[in-house]
Amino acid sequence: MRRKNATSGAKKFTATTDVGANAARDVAIIGGGIGGLTAALCFAQRGAVVTVYEQAAAFGEVGAGVQITPNGARVLETLGLRSALDARGVRASAVVPTDAMSGRAITRFDLNRLQGPAYRFVYRPDLIAILAEACGAAGVRLQTGSAVAADDLTATLVIGADGINSATRAAVVRPSPPEFSGQVAWRAIVAWDARPEAYIWMAPGGHVVTYPLTGGRLNIVAVQERANWAAEGWYHADDPANLRAAFAGACAELRDILDRVETTSLWGLFRHPVADTWWRPGLAILGDAAHPTLPFLAQGANLAIEDAWVLAACCDRDSDLEAGLQQYQDLRKARVIRAIAAANANARNYHLGGVRRRVAHLGLAGLGRLAPEAFLGRMSWLYDHDVTRMGRNPSYLRKPN
């Protein structure tokens, strides 16, 4: 694709546009969340004419935090958004696994040791605003209040970034029923001044993750194992008393945090199979539409951001759109399957009880004391991965994720 000069919202992108093959000149994106807007910006900075269709009346999501890990941050910073992320996010300094019952920190993993971009905590509506502003500056047409179907659009490429209940996915691959994980989650935000650290409060049969956002706020995600099914989705209001009851046996500090919750939402956590196929001619899916993941690795948004870059880069490098879409799937599928498996493993490890819990906590403490680099090394496959190499190193296209 030929290069298009970006203005105030994003820097001029140069990594791949000089060799672009113009496979997708006209792009329509269904869904104005993190993945959809990132894809819009990736395509627009490569010279495509892009329209984003968002069914809501305005761009934005319900208030909650999101963790942008270095692998996702590499894309956003390459797109010119580093200053905006610094201004509207919190740079994370550590992850602190904690015994939720005693309040004792088991260990502390120093995120400042990570290579590359900062690990950040960002208020999700702020990230949507950053992306929407950059898209507008890059010439993307942002159309709200537009519930459209893929088959109604005539763009060269239609992208479904319409989330976990994606209608676009059904146009690409036969739907597979999700499986209830036996876990439910609450999320909330409270006023609370905290260090720039993510705490994982681990309890038998459940856990709570807390981390700070700008403005003296604390983001809370709490997960409980239970047999009772709960509806999927983030928008189901629940009584905060139910959240507090689930962790009534926790330490005083965690109970104090939960006592501040005035409003909360509850949703059931379901395992969805990764889609067998991510595209058909003229149509592709990304993010949760292709591979929903449980929220135990902080990778849902980051994987969608990676998808957006790779999809745009593959379409840009190949004049055959179908070849580009197949390459996108080939480069991404194994990586997201690995990330989803790691998230599932975390869910089990966070909720241990009895002897296994004590043994696991002793192991974590020993790891943090004797070999703190080992934890970061175990995460290097995830955090060090750099999809933007596609613009600098052609050999990336021959390497599996």
Side-chain angles (χ1 to χ4, degrees):
M1 299 177 189
R2 306 322 304 162
R3 186 163 48 207
K4 183 174 185 174
N5 289 334
T7 55
S8 58
K11 70 181 181 181
K12 182 187 292 184
F13 174 75
T14 59
T16 63
T17 50
D18 291 333
V19 296
N22 281 330
R25 299 179 179 87
D26 180 17
V27 178
I29 298 174
I30 301 174
I34 293 170
L37 290 173
T38 304
L41 191 56
C42 288
F43 276 95
Q45 289 194 6
R46 289 171 168 86
V49 176
V50 184
T51 303
V52 176
Y53 297 92
E54 167 57 43
Q55 66 177 353
F59 286 97
E61 297 193 23
V62 294
V66 60
Q67 299 181 53
I68 300 299
T69 53
N71 50 305
R74 284 186 182 89
V75 173
L76 298 178
E77 291 191 7
T78 302
L79 291 170
L81 305 180
R82 179 176 180 176
S83 295
L85 290 171
D86 285 341
R88 299 166 90 165
V90 175
R91 288 193 170 217
S93 63
V95 172
V96 186
T98 301
D99 185 332
M101 312 311 289
S102 69
R104 178 181 59 87
I106 297 166
T107 191
R108 182 181 185 277
F109 295 116
D110 185 358
L111 297 176
N112 294 311
R113 297 173 180 264
L114 291 173
Q115 300 296 312
Y119 191 125
R120 296 179 178 91
F121 307 133
V122 185
Y123 185 48
R124 188 180 291 264
D126 283 348
L127 180 55
I128 293 291
I130 289 168
L131 289 165
E133 290 162 10
C135 283
V140 175
R141 184 185 179 197
L142 302 173
Q143 190 164 319
T144 57
S146 298
V148 298
D151 290 339
D152 295 333
L153 301 173
T154 59
T156 306
L157 175 63
V158 176
I159 299 170
D162 45 347
I164 200 166
N165 295 311
S166 169
T168 313
R169 173 174 171 141
V172 173
V173 64
R174 184 188 299 274
S176 299
E179 175 189 358
F180 180 51
S181 68
Q183 299 165 327
V184 298
W186 293 267
R187 70 178 185 181
I189 292 177
V190 299
W192 187 278
D193 288 323
R195 292 185 294 272
E197 299 174 340
Y199 278 74
I200 306 171
W201 308 83
M202 298 182 292
H207 76 279
V208 180
V209 175
T210 61
Y211 55 84
L213 302 172
T214 55
R217 297 170 295 175
L218 191 71
N219 190 78
I220 301 168
V221 177
V223 176
Q224 180 191 37
E225 293 182 359
R226 73 183 199 192
N228 295 337
W229 178 87
E232 193 170 29
W234 291 347
Y235 309 102
H236 308 290
D238 193 37
D239 187 339
N242 294 329
L243 166 59
R244 287 188 275 270
F247 295 92
C251 64
E253 183 178 0
L254 181 56
R255 294 200 314 272
D256 287 347
I257 291 171
L258 299 181
D259 282 345
R260 296 198 180 196
V261 174
E262 296 180 354
T263 60
T264 188
S265 57
L266 172 72
W267 75 102
L269 301 180
F270 286 74
R271 294 188 182 93
H272 294 251
V274 174
D276 291 333
T277 302
W278 296 16
W279 67 277
R280 74 176 200 203
L283 179 62
I285 51 178
L286 60 74
D288 282 348
H291 48 78
T293 180
L294 295 178
F296 304 134
L297 196 63
Q299 286 302 300
N302 292 285
L303 293 175
I305 289 167
E306 288 185 357
D307 285 353
W309 179 282
V310 175
L311 176 57
C314 286
C315 292
D316 191 51
R317 295 183 69 95
D318 201 317
S319 58
D320 181 343
L321 180 58
E322 293 184 20
L325 296 178
Q326 183 61 50
Q327 185 178 66
Y328 154 66
Q329 177 180 307
D330 291 344
L331 286 170
R332 296 297 298 153
K333 194 171 182 180
R335 176 166 169 81
V336 302
I337 289 173
R338 183 178 183 183
I340 289 169
N344 292 342
N346 277 353
R348 294 188 295 271
N349 294 334
Y350 291 165
H351 298 172
L352 296 175
V355 173
R356 289 191 302 161
R357 170 181 166 82
R358 292 193 293 274
V359 170
H361 287 193
L362 286 171
L364 266 179
L367 182 66
R369 183 174 63 256
L370 301 174
E373 299 292 345
F375 169 78
L376 299 180
R378 281 167 42 190
M379 301 302 292
S380 63
W381 69 271
L382 184 64
Y383 295 157
D384 292 351
H385 191 70
D386 184 1
V387 297
T388 69
R389 284 185 300 154
M390 290 189 69
R392 304 188 302 274
N393 181 4
S395 66
Y396 175 89
L397 298 177
R398 297 192 294 273
K399 294 180 181 180
N401 285 1

